[in-house]
Amino acid sequence: MSETTDYDPSQEGAQMNFDGRMSYGDYLCIDQILGAQKTRTDAHDEMLFIIQHQTSELWMRLVIHEITAAREAIKSDHLQPAMKTLSRVSRIFEQLNSAWDVLRTMTPSDYTHFRNKLGQSSGFQSLQYRLIEYALGNRNHAMMRPHAHVPEAMAKLESELALPSLYDEAIRLAARRGIAMPDEVLTRDVRNTHILHDAVTTGWKAVYEDPEKYWALYEVAEKMVDLEDYFRRWRFNHVTTVERVIGLKRGTGGTGGTSYLRRMLDVELFPELWRVRTEL
């Protein structure tokens, strides 16, 4: 019988000596990432809970990066890069949606073994989630209060509120491309949440009634609807997961738990893009 030899990639030129050279772990700071899971109990499922939320925060970091780029591209009339970026954001939320399936393998009994160690911490306190909501247009000022004790966090939120939201930029784009949009919307205080306006719906209706003429705007609108569609699914899966694990109990941060999350399901980020479907 012939003797087998283990494959040695160095024979084909692979670098195997990383003394003084940047390695995979160095580039990605793997030691820091894998050292960030600080369990507070010996409960088996606490590690799942921590990693679920840490990885979600990493994905949200990318969402912020991509929404920022998409908004700037739309503002600058560079629509092809914006389309690619908005598609990527939708795919990220698809990934975040799948993560709930993993967390749902944790039963209510599993969660009770470490829930009391969470203190007052809760997902609604996530700074990055709040920045995403603000960037997309849901600019609820009350939700800044959980961050009032951190000046750097407040500065980031204030900086975001000073900018037009992604949807504001889409409406301004439509106006630049010949679609009638109301002045009171185009010149509104962008620190506040955009409110449904019939004239904006009429403007988008003109786009949807003649997509060949307004193809670029039509594509932007549909990419944004895709994004909100995936975002809504993420919110819905969040509600379902929480109800499956804690029922109707209050959340650790003091919210109503599922009742609070269900209220979030009613929030529309791009309301006229949904209303226009009824008008066609």
Side-chain angles (χ1 to χ4, degrees), residues 152-185:
E152 295 84 358
M154 289 296 288
K156 288 181 179 180
L157 292 168
E158 290 288 357
S159 178
E160 177 54 51
L161 286 176
L163 298 172
S165 72
L166 177 69
Y167 190 44
D168 285 324
E169 291 295 359
I171 291 172
R172 294 178 182 193
L173 171 70
R176 291 196 301 275
R177 299 275 174 124
I179 298 298
M181 290 293 180
D183 287 340
E184 61 265 31
V185 172

Side-chain angles (χ1 to χ4, degrees), residues 28-130:
L28 296 176
C29 302
I30 294 297
D31 288 345
Q32 292 94 314
I33 293 172
L34 297 184
Q37 294 74 50
K38 309 295 186 183
T39 58
R40 296 172 184 268
T41 72
D42 59 0
H44 178 81
D45 284 68
E46 189 179 2
M47 183 65 76
L48 162 63
F49 188 82
I50 291 172
I51 290 177
Q52 157 80 19
H53 289 84
Q54 287 181 340
T55 54
S56 293
E57 288 290 333
L58 284 172
W59 282 120
M60 285 192 281
R61 174 71 181 87
L62 184 57
V63 167
I64 293 167
H65 179 70
E66 301 296 350
I67 289 175
T68 300
R71 177 168 53 184
E72 185 59 35
I74 290 172
K75 178 181 178 181
S76 304
D77 287 281
H78 296 147
L79 300 189
Q80 288 307 311
M83 295 305 93
K84 176 183 177 182
T85 305
L86 291 174
S87 292
R88 181 175 293 168
V89 174
S90 295
R91 298 289 84 76
I92 295 168
F93 275 107
E94 185 175 23
Q95 183 75 24
L96 285 165
N97 265 315
S98 297
W100 291 123
D101 293 336
V102 182
L103 190 62
R104 280 197 285 264
T105 64
M106 182 177 67
T107 68
S109 298
D110 296 329
Y111 189 39
T112 59
H113 290 306
F114 64 90
R115 187 178 191 244
N116 65 345
K117 296 298 183 182
L118 300 181
Q120 299 299 302
S121 64
S122 175
F124 86 90
Q125 300 154 8
S126 167
L127 173 62
Q128 291 199 124
Y129 175 74
R130 193 58 48 205

Side-chain angles (χ1 to χ4, degrees), residues 120-156:
Q120 299 299 302
S121 64
S122 175
F124 86 90
Q125 300 154 8
S126 167
L127 173 62
Q128 291 199 124
Y129 175 74
R130 193 58 48 205
L131 287 168
I132 291 169
E133 286 267 11
Y134 280 6
L136 293 178
N138 182 22
R139 301 189 157 192
N140 183 346
H141 291 208
M143 300 310 294
M144 298 177 73
R145 292 205 295 269
H147 308 285
H149 64 295
V150 184
E152 295 84 358
M154 289 296 288
K156 288 181 179 180

